Amino acid sequence: MSASPRSVARGANLLRAGKLVAFPTETVYGLGADATNDLAVAALFAAKGRPANNPLIVHLAHVADAKRLVRFDPLSQRAADTFWPGPLTLVLPLLADSGISRLVSPNRQTLAVRIPSHNLARELIETAGIPVAAPSANMSGRVSPTNADHVIADLNGRADAVIDAGACPCGLESTVFRSTGRGLELLRPGALSAEIIEERLGIKLVIDPSPTEVVSPGQMAVHYSPRSRVRMNAVSELDGEVLLGFGLHGPTGELNLSPKGDLNEAAARFYSLLRAADEFALRIGGATIAVSPIPESGLGKAINDRLRRASCQPLS
Ligand code: TXA
Ligand code: MG
């Protein structure tokens, strides 16, 4: 369905009826389900082929709605006040009477919550009037979708509806934090850069360099993978490689994340071009995707994080 008040109303009705609706956010497209409905949440895990132990983010229209589900400490409250609505996800203690399905965050006392800034997402959630569990609208382990065609390429026949509002402006998933006694711990770098968070909140983020347990399954090594092999920090392409460029050193044609070397532009185009490079590489007989060096600053950290996971090993 193309974006309109009618499609928002239809999408909201479908969500309330326990169906799965894909919708755009400022980060990536999400596949939404009623977070209070066990059957809907189970169907969501099945549609994506997602391991049942990987918890979902619950999306809300207002901070007051989040407060009915989780307990905010002063620092997370300040982060929420500063960055919501927007691409920030907070993992907080789940309240006992939240009404959220146990399947959303299995075997955990926490819940990830986020208030997206994309107008269509907020209208849909507000109209539905329920908390909406929404992982990225791709098959589990694959590249996240940043437009409706990507969603359909992965989930055709598996979602009940897709609302198409064009490309997502940020293009990378939200930044995920959990609140610990020591401060805010970064679980997943994302569309809101660590530098901006530290600067605006006047704090230093806690980054555990060697987590002893997988706190957030999104931290698992193999994730966000194209089907082709990926080689990072490629100064030039070798035989049998397709080059995905960045800046002046990259190719001048289509496959350059940002010819002018702008990391925000690169982030917005990243998943789309990774898909395009993947398709090209497969078409020419299983080439490797070589990616130009991406600076490890600002959104470059989140892009490199996704590339490190993608280069770990191909899925098939
Ligand atoms: O930008 C986004 O966050 C998108 C859009 C649709 O909002 N959603 C998204 O969802 O990326 P998903 O399911 O693909 O990624 C959620 C991440 C996973 O890495 C998951 O393990 C982590 O958040 N997560 C969710 N709940 C958690 C919890 N209670 N504790 C730790 N990590 C959690
Ligand atoms: Mg995902």
Side-chain angles (χ1 to χ4, degrees):
M1 306 187 284
S2 53
S4 71
R6 242 185 97 211
S7 59
V8 167
R10 274 187 72 188
N13 280 334
L14 287 168
L15 285 172
R16 274 199 300 264
K19 304 290 186 193
L20 307 181
V21 178
F23 61 96
T25 78
E26 70 279 20
T27 58
V28 299
Y29 273 70
L31 183 62
D34 178 354
T36 66
N37 178 334
D38 287 333
L39 286 178
V41 176
L44 180 53
F45 276 95
K48 277 186 57 97
R50 181 174 177 111
N53 67 353
N54 190 356
L56 304 171
I57 301 172
V58 170
H59 296 63
L60 305 148
H62 305 284
V63 182
D65 302 332
K67 291 207 160 150
R68 281 194 278 274
L69 307 180
V70 289
R71 193 172 62 245
F72 284 80
D73 55 274
L75 183 55
S76 357
Q77 177 67 57
R78 208 145 63 76
D81 291 342
T82 312
F83 297 111
W84 278 350
L88 169 76
T89 294
L90 292 169
V91 173
L92 296 170
L94 178 64
L95 296 177
D97 54 354
S98 68
I100 295 294
S101 163
R102 288 306 306 159
L103 301 177
V104 168
S105 200
N107 304 318
R108 288 163 193 267
Q109 270 76 55
T110 57
L111 183 71
V113 288
R114 151 166 143 77
I115 297 180
S117 62
H118 195 293
N119 280 339
L120 190 132
R122 297 192 72 195
E123 282 161 19
L124 179 69
I125 298 162
E126 170 117 60
T127 310
I130 47 174
V132 176
S136 48
N138 51 278
M139 289 304 286
S140 182
R142 298 287 187 205
V143 175
S144 290
T146 56
N147 66 38
D149 287 344
H150 296 164
V151 176
I152 288 166
D154 254 31
L155 294 179
N156 196 10
R158 293 171 172 264
D160 296 294
V162 182
I163 303 180
D164 181 354
C168 301
C170 302
L172 290 177
E173 299 87 346
S174 62
T175 305
V176 182
F177 286 107
R178 73 165 170 171
S179 188
T180 73
R182 294 180 298 153
L184 285 181
E185 183 183 353
L186 182 63
L187 296 183
R188 176 177 74 180
L192 188 63
S193 78
E195 285 96 326
I196 290 183
I197 295 168
E198 291 185 330
E199 191 187 304
R200 297 274 303 274
L201 297 180
I203 58 163
K204 210 73 197 120
L205 294 176
V206 181
I207 300 172
D208 188 348
S210 57
T212 45
E213 45 158 352
V214 175
V215 182
S216 190
Q219 289 174 310
M220 288 182 300
V222 183
H223 214 80
Y224 310 105
S225 300
R227 287 156 295 177
S228 311
R229 198 171 291 278
V230 172
R231 183 168 72 88
M232 295 177 70
N233 296 313
V235 186
S236 61
E237 81 241 68
L238 309 173
D239 265 0
E241 288 189 338
V242 169
L243 184 63
L244 178 56
F246 174 80
L248 294 176
H249 307 298
T252 47
E254 292 278 278
L255 288 182
N256 193 318
L257 292 164
S258 172
K260 59 174 187 270
D262 175 342
L263 286 168
N264 294 335
E265 180 183 44
R269 288 158 56 82
F270 177 62
Y271 283 129
S272 216
L273 289 194
L274 192 57
R275 275 174 193 259
D278 192 27
E279 263 148 43
F280 186 49
L282 290 172
R283 214 166 50 234
I284 63 173
T288 292
I289 304 169
V291 188
S292 298
I294 311 282
E296 187 71 18
S297 64
L299 293 187
K301 283 188 187 151
I303 296 175
N304 283 327
D305 170 77
R306 305 304 186 267
L307 284 172
R308 274 191 288 276
R309 290 166 208 280
S311 61
C312 200
Q313 74 188 65
L315 281 185
S316 56

